Each structure stands twice: as C-alpha cells, then as structure tokens.
Amino acid sequence: ERRTGNGRLAARHHAVMPVTIHDVARRAGVSPSTVSRVLNGTSPVREDKRQLVLEAAAAWRATHAGLAM
C-alpha cells in the first residue's frame, strides 16, 4: 500500500501491451507474414516453421494477456 502526499491511496497501473504478430515472428525467427499464414490458416507453411510459430505464440500467451493482430 502506498499513499500520495494528500493521504490517498496511489493507483497502481500495470499496463500490459498486447502481443503482436511482429513479437511472435521475432521470437520464432520467421517473418510476420509466416505468422499470419499460420495463425489464419490461409496458405501452406512448412511444418517446422508452423511449429516454431505455434510454440512462440504459446510462450507469449503464457506470459502475456493476449495476442493482438
């Protein structure tokens, strides 16, 4: 508990930035386009790259609030 100079409780703001396609791409070592194709299922992606993207997205979800696309 922390109080301000006037005795009121200080507000605690913990801003969590949404995870972006670019964040997942960096973590997986692939392009943002590849992440988009995997997550949207719009075109074929090599299985090894697909796994990298899914693992990176799962790791972000475990530590962040959500995935913004």
Side-chain angles (χ1 to χ4, degrees), residues 1-14:
E1 178 175 299
R2 186 175 68 101
R3 295 193 178 268
T4 62
N6 62 7
R8 294 184 191 171
L9 288 176
R12 291 185 183 183
H13 298 285
H14 297 286

Side-chain angles (χ1 to χ4, degrees), residues 15-20 23 27 56-67:
V16 176
M17 298 299 293
V19 178
T20 66
D23 295 326
R27 188 173 195 140
W60 275 109
R61 275 188 220 109
T63 57
H64 292 78
L67 188 63

Side-chain angles (χ1 to χ4, degrees), residues 3-54:
R3 295 193 178 268
T4 62
N6 62 7
R8 294 184 191 171
L9 288 176
R12 291 185 183 183
H13 298 285
H14 297 286
V16 176
M17 298 299 293
V19 178
T20 66
I21 284 178
H22 295 278
D23 295 326
V24 174
R26 252 182 259 116
R27 188 173 195 140
V30 299
S31 72
S33 298
T34 299
V35 174
S36 177
R37 287 193 299 264
V38 169
L39 296 179
N40 294 317
T42 54
S43 57
V45 177
R46 282 187 0 215
E47 184 60 26
D48 60 330
K49 288 190 178 191
R50 190 176 81 76
Q51 280 304 115
L52 288 171
V53 169
L54 294 176

